Amino acid sequence: MPASVLSRKSSTSSAKTVKIGKPVYFFGGGRADGNESMKNLLGGKGANLAEMAGHPDLRLPVPPGFTITTEVCTYYWANKRSYPKGLRELVSDNLARVEKLTDKKFGDPRNPLLVSVRSGARKSMPGMMETILNVGLTEATIPGMVAQTKNERFVYDAYRRLIMMYSDVVMEKAAGITPAEDQGIRRQLERIMDEAKKREGVKLDTELTTKNLKELCSQFKAKVQEVLGKPFPDEPMEQLWGSVGAVFASWMGKRAVSYRRIEGIPEEWGTAVSVQSMVFGNMGDDSATGVGFTRNPGTGDSRFYGEFLVNAQGEDVVAGIRTPEPINEASRSDQSRNLKSLEQIMPQAYKELADIVKRLEKHYRDMLDIEFTIEKGRLYMLQCRVGKRNGPAAVKVALDMLKEKLITKEEAVMRVTPSQLDELLHPIVDPKAEATHKPMGKGLPAGPGGAKGQIVFTANDAVAWAKNGKKVILVREETNPEDVEGMRAAQAILTARGGMTSHAALVARGWGKCCVVGCGALEIDLHQKTLSVDGKTLKEGAWITLNGAKGLVYEGEMAMLDASESNKMLEDFLKVCDSIRRLKIRANADTPEDAARARKFGAEGIGLFRVEHMFYGKGSEQPLFKLRKMIVSKTEAERRAALDELFPHVKSDIKATLKAMAGFPVTIRTIDPPLHEFVPHEAEKLAELAKSLNISLDELEKRASGLRESNPMMGHRGVRLGITYPEVTEMQVRAIFEAAVELGKEGVKTLPEIMIPVVCVETELKNQYALIEKVYAEVCKAKGVKAIAHLVGTMIEIPRACIVADRLAESAQFFSFGTNDLTQMSFGFSRDDTGSFMGDYLKHEILPADPFQTIDQDGVGVLMRMGVERGRKTRKDIKIGICGEHGGEPASVEFCHGLGFSYVSCSPFRVPIATLAAAQSVVKEKPIKKK
Ligand code: ADP
Ligand code: MG
Ligand code: MG
């Protein structure tokens, strides 16, 4: 088919001209107009259907069909819901090709073709948009279908499904009707069906007889007329176009719009529509429908994993109307322990499917999510796409595929997102607590880690409670796309129905959120807002705890543990990252314990050790008292005496950390607190201090109030202290050098880097540099050593420092960007006070992101670039790093990589994330080399 350019200016002035290329792409019969790379145009589903149907290496059994492009969707919305000229003819032409391949005719009374009308955006939006099956069934085509299939029951089952889907999607949702809670047409029809089941004394849809189904269909139609005031359409073409329009309409539907907002999917993308000939999994016990993953998306286990239902259609598996059966032994769960597998029931079809799964994985070189249907023993592929997986599975699959030589190490590194890696570091329920608690229920493990929270029963409540600072767990019979906002707001999700491929499981996996699904023992009363298990009832607001990795539900609030620190898989994966990245990763650590943990996570040094830390927390009593003495000293003599007392504490602290980081650099920042923070307030402490200084309480109070500043963040701190009190700098530097010499004598290699904070003019640095040189010479002489390895540098955290970086580099051997303060001072935003307005700034898009979370590349980033360039002009090999919070944030890491930093430094728990981000930054530099 020649590519045509269709465009139409609508006569109305509000209409936009949308240029569109070829609007319809065919697939089937071993060939396809499109392919996998055309997701933007054909949507993920359409592009992959084309790939599976048409790629010479695949040519899989895909029912023929065609895809109407996303450009037509854009056109539709830009032109008052109308179609480009010529589209109807193109659709008819393509339908004719499908008819030829299937040897059936759409609307033909004797041998009718039925089609599905399927939505599909670039990125999968699970359950957000609509699909309509069995389109083309009418009073006129029903007898033909019955004659062709010799299966009247099946035909009426298909018909009742069509009426349900069509009236819901096309006649209600797309028409913009918002029914009252629980009064949607679908619910109303479902209730009629439930009544029929009750009347007939059966439980399952499959137990309804032909007669029952026939009756249901006419009741359905009457109800549709009654509720929606319109007859159910009996014209095949009307059904087809009604469905196509409804899929386009669903793009602007409420839940699709809200999902897009959460996921950051732009509205312009649009959805494609695929029209595909139907195959039927509901033709009897030799038919089935199922979904699967080429590997287990919950654990990464490399065996094919999936669920299916005999005699079912479409969404039945996902909707949880019956307990899905396992595809094979590897897919068995506690819930499906006694069910027959597909491998057992239909060995031939299973073998073919397993073989296709292998070929698909080899072709796509990634873990895939698939949909299939078996019609009277014949297998058809209906969908495939790269499968969502949780963090542990992502890491395992990447490592396994690398080992299997399916992918390169660069690809392996790109297969795990920083937030997926974060899941491996997620909190879990304390196993000790679990050992002593009996779970009140068990479902399927659908999301990582553990969580605790107060139960709520509706998405709206979840949002509202979370807004009030409550930690909630959303409990639902099963979730549906209308629940996404609530799922987002909740700590975790718990459902009574559904399997590992249910909506809740899919969404939670995508977000890396703790989730347990299919906990059948739960009885949920939505009106009373209660949850009961075995006669025990919990009310809204009660606490529960979930283990998402095992699918366990506990009553009450249980202890949680930080994620395990020694995780072989994590270590192996980080090794792959290490073999690629150029940036070094350091940690911000103030204690020997933090330093040891950072080493475990793979940190290659400390980027920020704050001397003042030893005056907080455990064991700080004594040093704090001495520091206070030093602070309120008046004469140099007094101060020197206090400093002498302080010295051994500072030295032993530094020594312990240097030792924990043996062989790696440790950046030690000289003391930098706003001084008044350390002046005691309690009378008792004040008295003690006065006594030890041998001064009156009055005198002490006078001195203390003299320290008070109206703007301490910009006050007498950092290098300014070292200028007024050189002996304070000298004491710290002496501690560092002596610790290094002593450790050297023990055979421990040390690389201290002395960092002067809050510098904004080169003379500050020169002044301190001279002090450091002097102490260095003294220590060398006193200890009888020739040299002590060390560097002297500065923190860059004041905008002026970036501007005069060339001059600072005359003294500084390294720069470390303190981006917290740099951001504070560049924006003029007080770091501690952004809470009151940052929310509004983000909501109104005044700022695209919180600059304290990710580096503001347009402003702060420009200053950083200036600092780097100017610094390097003076000192070509100046060492550059970052020690602000941003050092562990992936986008900021990539930015630092781009500026050619030698390292980033972040909190110990962020070290793995920074490591991954650093490796990904390298891979992103050039197009990925494929295996
Ligand atoms: P979703 O995007 O929600 O997955 P799909 O378009 O994949 O929606 O369709 C919903 C269900 O209907 C799926 O289970 C799919 O396999 C099934 N289905 C879609 N088209 C056909 C068809 N032509 N024949 C049989 N089943 C189909
Ligand atoms: Mg769906
Ligand atoms: Mg699907």
PDB file of all heavy atoms in Angstrom, residues 308-339:
ATOM      1  N   PHE A 308      -3.699 -19.607  33.075  1.00  0.00           N
ATOM      2  CA  PHE A 308      -4.680 -19.729  31.990  1.00  0.00           C
ATOM      3  C   PHE A 308      -6.005 -20.240  32.553  1.00  0.00           C
ATOM      4  O   PHE A 308      -6.088 -20.675  33.711  1.00  0.00           O
ATOM      5  CB  PHE A 308      -4.152 -20.670  30.905  1.00  0.00           C
ATOM      6  CG  PHE A 308      -4.327 -22.125  31.249  1.00  0.00           C
ATOM      7  CD1 PHE A 308      -5.304 -22.886  30.631  1.00  0.00           C
ATOM      8  CD2 PHE A 308      -3.533 -22.705  32.224  1.00  0.00           C
ATOM      9  CE1 PHE A 308      -5.493 -24.225  30.983  1.00  0.00           C
ATOM     10  CE2 PHE A 308      -3.715 -24.045  32.575  1.00  0.00           C
ATOM     11  CZ  PHE A 308      -4.699 -24.803  31.954  1.00  0.00           C
ATOM     12  N   LEU A 309      -7.021 -20.162  31.695  1.00  0.00           N
ATOM     13  CA  LEU A 309      -8.330 -20.715  32.046  1.00  0.00           C
ATOM     14  C   LEU A 309      -8.869 -21.469  30.849  1.00  0.00           C
ATOM     15  O   LEU A 309      -8.807 -20.966  29.720  1.00  0.00           O
ATOM     16  CB  LEU A 309      -9.305 -19.590  32.399  1.00  0.00           C
ATOM     17  CG  LEU A 309      -9.237 -18.967  33.792  1.00  0.00           C
ATOM     18  CD1 LEU A 309     -10.239 -17.819  33.879  1.00  0.00           C
ATOM     19  CD2 LEU A 309      -9.530 -20.001  34.873  1.00  0.00           C
ATOM     20  N   VAL A 310      -9.410 -22.654  31.099  1.00  0.00           N
ATOM     21  CA  VAL A 310     -10.075 -23.408  30.036  1.00  0.00           C
ATOM     22  C   VAL A 310     -11.430 -22.766  29.782  1.00  0.00           C
ATOM     23  O   VAL A 310     -12.072 -22.257  30.702  1.00  0.00           O
ATOM     24  CB  VAL A 310     -10.246 -24.883  30.471  1.00  0.00           C
ATOM     25  CG1 VAL A 310     -11.166 -25.624  29.511  1.00  0.00           C
ATOM     26  CG2 VAL A 310      -8.899 -25.565  30.546  1.00  0.00           C
ATOM     27  N   ASN A 311     -11.833 -22.811  28.519  1.00  0.00           N
ATOM     28  CA  ASN A 311     -13.149 -22.313  28.129  1.00  0.00           C
ATOM     29  C   ASN A 311     -13.398 -20.896  28.664  1.00  0.00           C
ATOM     30  O   ASN A 311     -14.307 -20.659  29.451  1.00  0.00           O
ATOM     31  CB  ASN A 311     -14.238 -23.273  28.617  1.00  0.00           C
ATOM     32  CG  ASN A 311     -15.556 -23.044  27.874  1.00  0.00           C
ATOM     33  OD1 ASN A 311     -15.587 -22.311  26.882  1.00  0.00           O
ATOM     34  ND2 ASN A 311     -16.628 -23.648  28.355  1.00  0.00           N
ATOM     35  N   ALA A 312     -12.556 -19.988  28.253  1.00  0.00           N
ATOM     36  CA  ALA A 312     -12.687 -18.604  28.730  1.00  0.00           C
ATOM     37  C   ALA A 312     -12.245 -17.656  27.635  1.00  0.00           C
ATOM     38  O   ALA A 312     -11.623 -18.046  26.642  1.00  0.00           O
ATOM     39  CB  ALA A 312     -11.827 -18.399  29.965  1.00  0.00           C
ATOM     40  N   GLN A 313     -12.564 -16.416  27.812  1.00  0.00           N
ATOM     41  CA  GLN A 313     -12.213 -15.438  26.803  1.00  0.00           C
ATOM     42  C   GLN A 313     -11.573 -14.213  27.434  1.00  0.00           C
ATOM     43  O   GLN A 313     -11.912 -13.832  28.552  1.00  0.00           O
ATOM     44  CB  GLN A 313     -13.459 -15.010  26.015  1.00  0.00           C
ATOM     45  CG  GLN A 313     -13.110 -14.181  24.779  1.00  0.00           C
ATOM     46  CD  GLN A 313     -14.338 -13.806  23.956  1.00  0.00           C
ATOM     47  OE1 GLN A 313     -15.316 -13.305  24.468  1.00  0.00           O
ATOM     48  NE2 GLN A 313     -14.242 -14.044  22.658  1.00  0.00           N
ATOM     49  N   GLY A 314     -10.661 -13.644  26.643  1.00  0.00           N
ATOM     50  CA  GLY A 314     -10.118 -12.322  26.938  1.00  0.00           C
ATOM     51  C   GLY A 314      -9.639 -12.143  28.358  1.00  0.00           C
ATOM     52  O   GLY A 314      -8.773 -12.850  28.836  1.00  0.00           O
ATOM     53  N   GLU A 315     -10.287 -11.220  29.023  1.00  0.00           N
ATOM     54  CA  GLU A 315      -9.800 -10.755  30.313  1.00  0.00           C
ATOM     55  C   GLU A 315     -10.143 -11.685  31.480  1.00  0.00           C
ATOM     56  O   GLU A 315      -9.824 -11.373  32.611  1.00  0.00           O
ATOM     57  CB  GLU A 315     -10.387  -9.372  30.609  1.00  0.00           C
ATOM     58  CG  GLU A 315     -10.125  -8.374  29.525  1.00  0.00           C
ATOM     59  CD  GLU A 315      -8.902  -7.522  29.813  1.00  0.00           C
ATOM     60  OE1 GLU A 315      -7.777  -8.021  29.692  1.00  0.00           O
ATOM     61  OE2 GLU A 315      -9.107  -6.369  30.171  1.00  0.00           O
ATOM     62  N   ASP A 316     -10.825 -12.781  31.209  1.00  0.00           N
ATOM     63  CA  ASP A 316     -11.266 -13.653  32.306  1.00  0.00           C
ATOM     64  C   ASP A 316     -10.143 -13.981  33.284  1.00  0.00           C
ATOM     65  O   ASP A 316     -10.343 -14.004  34.496  1.00  0.00           O
ATOM     66  CB  ASP A 316     -11.843 -14.967  31.754  1.00  0.00           C
ATOM     67  CG  ASP A 316     -13.200 -14.761  31.074  1.00  0.00           C
ATOM     68  OD1 ASP A 316     -13.647 -13.591  31.028  1.00  0.00           O
ATOM     69  OD2 ASP A 316     -13.783 -15.744  30.594  1.00  0.00           O
ATOM     70  N   VAL A 317      -8.937 -14.234  32.745  1.00  0.00           N
ATOM     71  CA  VAL A 317      -7.821 -14.624  33.608  1.00  0.00           C
ATOM     72  C   VAL A 317      -7.451 -13.485  34.535  1.00  0.00           C
ATOM     73  O   VAL A 317      -7.304 -13.649  35.740  1.00  0.00           O
ATOM     74  CB  VAL A 317      -6.578 -15.012  32.773  1.00  0.00           C
ATOM     75  CG1 VAL A 317      -5.426 -15.385  33.689  1.00  0.00           C
ATOM     76  CG2 VAL A 317      -6.898 -16.143  31.815  1.00  0.00           C
ATOM     77  N   VAL A 318      -7.326 -12.308  33.927  1.00  0.00           N
ATOM     78  CA  VAL A 318      -6.892 -11.139  34.686  1.00  0.00           C
ATOM     79  C   VAL A 318      -7.973 -10.686  35.664  1.00  0.00           C
ATOM     80  O   VAL A 318      -7.691 -10.247  36.766  1.00  0.00           O
ATOM     81  CB  VAL A 318      -6.516  -9.988  33.721  1.00  0.00           C
ATOM     82  CG1 VAL A 318      -5.890  -8.848  34.484  1.00  0.00           C
ATOM     83  CG2 VAL A 318      -5.583 -10.500  32.634  1.00  0.00           C
ATOM     84  N   ALA A 319      -9.233 -10.835  35.249  1.00  0.00           N
ATOM     85  CA  ALA A 319     -10.334 -10.313  36.060  1.00  0.00           C
ATOM     86  C   ALA A 319     -10.581 -11.180  37.288  1.00  0.00           C
ATOM     87  O   ALA A 319     -11.290 -10.779  38.190  1.00  0.00           O
ATOM     88  CB  ALA A 319     -11.595 -10.231  35.223  1.00  0.00           C
ATOM     89  N   GLY A 320      -9.998 -12.382  37.296  1.00  0.00           N
ATOM     90  CA  GLY A 320     -10.130 -13.216  38.491  1.00  0.00           C
ATOM     91  C   GLY A 320     -11.528 -13.772  38.703  1.00  0.00           C
ATOM     92  O   GLY A 320     -11.967 -13.933  39.834  1.00  0.00           O
ATOM     93  N   ILE A 321     -12.252 -14.093  37.605  1.00  0.00           N
ATOM     94  CA  ILE A 321     -13.589 -14.654  37.813  1.00  0.00           C
ATOM     95  C   ILE A 321     -13.521 -16.106  38.282  1.00  0.00           C
ATOM     96  O   ILE A 321     -14.413 -16.603  38.930  1.00  0.00           O
ATOM     97  CB  ILE A 321     -14.475 -14.564  36.549  1.00  0.00           C
ATOM     98  CG1 ILE A 321     -13.787 -15.265  35.372  1.00  0.00           C
ATOM     99  CG2 ILE A 321     -14.809 -13.138  36.201  1.00  0.00           C
ATOM    100  CD1 ILE A 321     -14.794 -15.731  34.361  1.00  0.00           C
ATOM    101  N   ARG A 322     -12.443 -16.791  37.899  1.00  0.00           N
ATOM    102  CA  ARG A 322     -12.169 -18.125  38.453  1.00  0.00           C
ATOM    103  C   ARG A 322     -10.695 -18.120  38.842  1.00  0.00           C
ATOM    104  O   ARG A 322      -9.930 -17.310  38.344  1.00  0.00           O
ATOM    105  CB  ARG A 322     -12.352 -19.193  37.372  1.00  0.00           C
ATOM    106  CG  ARG A 322     -13.780 -19.567  37.074  1.00  0.00           C
ATOM    107  CD  ARG A 322     -13.814 -20.704  36.042  1.00  0.00           C
ATOM    108  NE  ARG A 322     -14.027 -20.200  34.693  1.00  0.00           N
ATOM    109  CZ  ARG A 322     -13.625 -20.834  33.579  1.00  0.00           C
ATOM    110  NH1 ARG A 322     -12.949 -21.968  33.665  1.00  0.00           N
ATOM    111  NH2 ARG A 322     -13.861 -20.323  32.398  1.00  0.00           N
ATOM    112  N   THR A 323     -10.288 -19.028  39.697  1.00  0.00           N
ATOM    113  CA  THR A 323      -8.870 -19.110  40.045  1.00  0.00           C
ATOM    114  C   THR A 323      -8.095 -19.591  38.822  1.00  0.00           C
ATOM    115  O   THR A 323      -8.377 -20.661  38.298  1.00  0.00           O
ATOM    116  CB  THR A 323      -8.643 -20.112  41.182  1.00  0.00           C
ATOM    117  OG1 THR A 323      -9.440 -19.704  42.274  1.00  0.00           O
ATOM    118  CG2 THR A 323      -7.177 -20.137  41.581  1.00  0.00           C
ATOM    119  N   PRO A 324      -7.153 -18.798  38.350  1.00  0.00           N
ATOM    120  CA  PRO A 324      -6.419 -19.210  37.158  1.00  0.00           C
ATOM    121  C   PRO A 324      -5.611 -20.478  37.421  1.00  0.00           C
ATOM    122  O   PRO A 324      -5.168 -20.730  38.536  1.00  0.00           O
ATOM    123  CB  PRO A 324      -5.488 -18.034  36.878  1.00  0.00           C
ATOM    124  CG  PRO A 324      -5.924 -16.936  37.758  1.00  0.00           C
ATOM    125  CD  PRO A 324      -6.692 -17.522  38.878  1.00  0.00           C
ATOM    126  N   GLU A 325      -5.450 -21.261  36.370  1.00  0.00           N
ATOM    127  CA  GLU A 325      -4.672 -22.490  36.481  1.00  0.00           C
ATOM    128  C   GLU A 325      -3.234 -22.218  36.067  1.00  0.00           C
ATOM    129  O   GLU A 325      -2.984 -21.331  35.260  1.00  0.00           O
ATOM    130  CB  GLU A 325      -5.313 -23.559  35.585  1.00  0.00           C
ATOM    131  CG  GLU A 325      -6.736 -23.912  36.040  1.00  0.00           C
ATOM    132  CD  GLU A 325      -7.625 -24.430  34.907  1.00  0.00           C
ATOM    133  OE1 GLU A 325      -7.359 -25.529  34.425  1.00  0.00           O
ATOM    134  OE2 GLU A 325      -8.556 -23.703  34.517  1.00  0.00           O
ATOM    135  N   PRO A 326      -2.294 -22.987  36.587  1.00  0.00           N
ATOM    136  CA  PRO A 326      -0.893 -22.749  36.237  1.00  0.00           C
ATOM    137  C   PRO A 326      -0.574 -23.319  34.858  1.00  0.00           C
ATOM    138  O   PRO A 326      -1.115 -24.345  34.474  1.00  0.00           O
ATOM    139  CB  PRO A 326      -0.130 -23.519  37.309  1.00  0.00           C
ATOM    140  CG  PRO A 326      -1.046 -24.629  37.688  1.00  0.00           C
ATOM    141  CD  PRO A 326      -2.443 -24.102  37.543  1.00  0.00           C
ATOM    142  N   ILE A 327       0.300 -22.614  34.126  1.00  0.00           N
ATOM    143  CA  ILE A 327       0.690 -23.087  32.804  1.00  0.00           C
ATOM    144  C   ILE A 327       1.539 -24.352  32.913  1.00  0.00           C
ATOM    145  O   ILE A 327       1.421 -25.277  32.126  1.00  0.00           O
ATOM    146  CB  ILE A 327       1.438 -21.942  32.087  1.00  0.00           C
ATOM    147  CG1 ILE A 327       0.409 -21.083  31.375  1.00  0.00           C
ATOM    148  CG2 ILE A 327       2.474 -22.464  31.142  1.00  0.00           C
ATOM    149  CD1 ILE A 327       0.989 -20.032  30.511  1.00  0.00           C
ATOM    150  N   ASN A 328       2.417 -24.354  33.896  1.00  0.00           N
ATOM    151  CA  ASN A 328       3.326 -25.497  34.073  1.00  0.00           C
ATOM    152  C   ASN A 328       3.658 -25.617  35.569  1.00  0.00           C
ATOM    153  O   ASN A 328       3.149 -24.840  36.386  1.00  0.00           O
ATOM    154  CB  ASN A 328       4.598 -25.298  33.240  1.00  0.00           C
ATOM    155  CG  ASN A 328       5.207 -23.926  33.481  1.00  0.00           C
ATOM    156  OD1 ASN A 328       4.902 -23.271  34.491  1.00  0.00           O
ATOM    157  ND2 ASN A 328       6.061 -23.482  32.589  1.00  0.00           N
ATOM    158  N   GLU A 329       4.539 -26.528  35.883  1.00  0.00           N
ATOM    159  CA  GLU A 329       4.863 -26.729  37.297  1.00  0.00           C
ATOM    160  C   GLU A 329       5.500 -25.484  37.918  1.00  0.00           C
ATOM    161  O   GLU A 329       5.242 -25.147  39.073  1.00  0.00           O
ATOM    162  CB  GLU A 329       5.799 -27.938  37.471  1.00  0.00           C
ATOM    163  CG  GLU A 329       5.137 -29.278  37.143  1.00  0.00           C
ATOM    164  CD  GLU A 329       3.774 -29.430  37.808  1.00  0.00           C
ATOM    165  OE1 GLU A 329       3.697 -29.260  39.037  1.00  0.00           O
ATOM    166  OE2 GLU A 329       2.782 -29.708  37.085  1.00  0.00           O
ATOM    167  N   ALA A 330       6.322 -24.806  37.123  1.00  0.00           N
ATOM    168  CA  ALA A 330       7.024 -23.624  37.644  1.00  0.00           C
ATOM    169  C   ALA A 330       6.059 -22.513  38.022  1.00  0.00           C
ATOM    170  O   ALA A 330       6.425 -21.573  38.719  1.00  0.00           O
ATOM    171  CB  ALA A 330       8.036 -23.131  36.615  1.00  0.00           C
ATOM    172  N   SER A 331       4.834 -22.591  37.517  1.00  0.00           N
ATOM    173  CA  SER A 331       3.878 -21.501  37.760  1.00  0.00           C
ATOM    174  C   SER A 331       2.907 -21.816  38.891  1.00  0.00           C
ATOM    175  O   SER A 331       1.983 -21.060  39.148  1.00  0.00           O
ATOM    176  CB  SER A 331       3.072 -21.229  36.491  1.00  0.00           C
ATOM    177  OG  SER A 331       3.924 -21.087  35.383  1.00  0.00           O
ATOM    178  N   ARG A 332       3.081 -22.938  39.531  1.00  0.00           N
ATOM    179  CA  ARG A 332       2.161 -23.314  40.595  1.00  0.00           C
ATOM    180  C   ARG A 332       2.320 -22.420  41.818  1.00  0.00           C
ATOM    181  O   ARG A 332       3.427 -22.090  42.209  1.00  0.00           O
ATOM    182  CB  ARG A 332       2.423 -24.746  41.025  1.00  0.00           C
ATOM    183  CG  ARG A 332       1.484 -25.710  40.393  1.00  0.00           C
ATOM    184  CD  ARG A 332       1.566 -27.086  40.984  1.00  0.00           C
ATOM    185  NE  ARG A 332       1.298 -28.059  39.930  1.00  0.00           N
ATOM    186  CZ  ARG A 332       0.102 -28.214  39.390  1.00  0.00           C
ATOM    187  NH1 ARG A 332      -0.916 -27.486  39.816  1.00  0.00           N
ATOM    188  NH2 ARG A 332      -0.087 -29.071  38.419  1.00  0.00           N
ATOM    189  N   SER A 333       1.193 -22.079  42.415  1.00  0.00           N
ATOM    190  CA  SER A 333       1.225 -21.333  43.678  1.00  0.00           C
ATOM    191  C   SER A 333       0.424 -22.140  44.689  1.00  0.00           C
ATOM    192  O   SER A 333      -0.192 -23.139  44.320  1.00  0.00           O
ATOM    193  CB  SER A 333       0.577 -19.971  43.490  1.00  0.00           C
ATOM    194  OG  SER A 333      -0.796 -20.141  43.215  1.00  0.00           O
ATOM    195  N   ASP A 334       0.412 -21.687  45.913  1.00  0.00           N
ATOM    196  CA  ASP A 334      -0.389 -22.367  46.922  1.00  0.00           C
ATOM    197  C   ASP A 334      -1.846 -22.438  46.494  1.00  0.00           C
ATOM    198  O   ASP A 334      -2.533 -23.424  46.725  1.00  0.00           O
ATOM    199  CB  ASP A 334      -0.298 -21.628  48.256  1.00  0.00           C
ATOM    200  CG  ASP A 334       0.981 -21.990  48.982  1.00  0.00           C
ATOM    201  OD1 ASP A 334       1.744 -22.823  48.443  1.00  0.00           O
ATOM    202  OD2 ASP A 334       1.214 -21.432  50.069  1.00  0.00           O
ATOM    203  N   GLN A 335      -2.251 -21.351  45.858  1.00  0.00           N
ATOM    204  CA  GLN A 335      -3.639 -21.227  45.447  1.00  0.00           C
ATOM    205  C   GLN A 335      -3.999 -22.246  44.354  1.00  0.00           C
ATOM    206  O   GLN A 335      -5.120 -22.707  44.287  1.00  0.00           O
ATOM    207  CB  GLN A 335      -3.802 -19.802  44.897  1.00  0.00           C
ATOM    208  CG  GLN A 335      -5.157 -19.209  45.061  1.00  0.00           C
ATOM    209  CD  GLN A 335      -5.218 -17.858  44.354  1.00  0.00           C
ATOM    210  OE1 GLN A 335      -4.342 -17.478  43.583  1.00  0.00           O
ATOM    211  NE2 GLN A 335      -6.270 -17.127  44.630  1.00  0.00           N
ATOM    212  N   SER A 336      -3.033 -22.566  43.504  1.00  0.00           N
ATOM    213  CA  SER A 336      -3.339 -23.426  42.363  1.00  0.00           C
ATOM    214  C   SER A 336      -2.710 -24.811  42.517  1.00  0.00           C
ATOM    215  O   SER A 336      -2.515 -25.520  41.548  1.00  0.00           O
ATOM    216  CB  SER A 336      -2.848 -22.759  41.072  1.00  0.00           C
ATOM    217  OG  SER A 336      -1.446 -22.596  41.090  1.00  0.00           O
ATOM    218  N   ARG A 337      -2.396 -25.144  43.764  1.00  0.00           N
ATOM    219  CA  ARG A 337      -1.674 -26.387  44.030  1.00  0.00           C
ATOM    220  C   ARG A 337      -2.350 -27.608  43.421  1.00  0.00           C
ATOM    221  O   ARG A 337      -1.710 -28.486  42.892  1.00  0.00           O
ATOM    222  CB  ARG A 337      -1.548 -26.561  45.546  1.00  0.00           C
ATOM    223  CG  ARG A 337      -0.525 -27.603  45.951  1.00  0.00           C
ATOM    224  CD  ARG A 337      -0.395 -27.636  47.442  1.00  0.00           C
ATOM    225  NE  ARG A 337      -1.458 -26.824  48.046  1.00  0.00           N
ATOM    226  CZ  ARG A 337      -1.358 -26.177  49.182  1.00  0.00           C
ATOM    227  NH1 ARG A 337      -0.263 -26.220  49.873  1.00  0.00           N
ATOM    228  NH2 ARG A 337      -2.363 -25.477  49.679  1.00  0.00           N
ATOM    229  N   ASN A 338      -3.694 -27.643  43.486  1.00  0.00           N
ATOM    230  CA  ASN A 338      -4.375 -28.865  43.068  1.00  0.00           C
ATOM    231  C   ASN A 338      -4.970 -28.787  41.665  1.00  0.00           C
ATOM    232  O   ASN A 338      -5.727 -29.649  41.262  1.00  0.00           O
ATOM    233  CB  ASN A 338      -5.469 -29.206  44.076  1.00  0.00           C
ATOM    234  CG  ASN A 338      -4.864 -29.414  45.452  1.00  0.00           C
ATOM    235  OD1 ASN A 338      -3.806 -30.029  45.579  1.00  0.00           O
ATOM    236  ND2 ASN A 338      -5.493 -28.855  46.469  1.00  0.00           N
ATOM    237  N   LEU A 339      -4.655 -27.723  40.931  1.00  0.00           N
ATOM    238  CA  LEU A 339      -5.238 -27.572  39.596  1.00  0.00           C
ATOM    239  C   LEU A 339      -4.333 -28.209  38.554  1.00  0.00           C
ATOM    240  O   LEU A 339      -3.116 -28.310  38.736  1.00  0.00           O
ATOM    241  CB  LEU A 339      -5.442 -26.084  39.287  1.00  0.00           C
ATOM    242  CG  LEU A 339      -6.397 -25.350  40.245  1.00  0.00           C
ATOM    243  CD1 LEU A 339      -6.399 -23.869  39.943  1.00  0.00           C
ATOM    244  CD2 LEU A 339      -7.804 -25.920  40.125  1.00  0.00           C
TER     245      LEU A 339
END
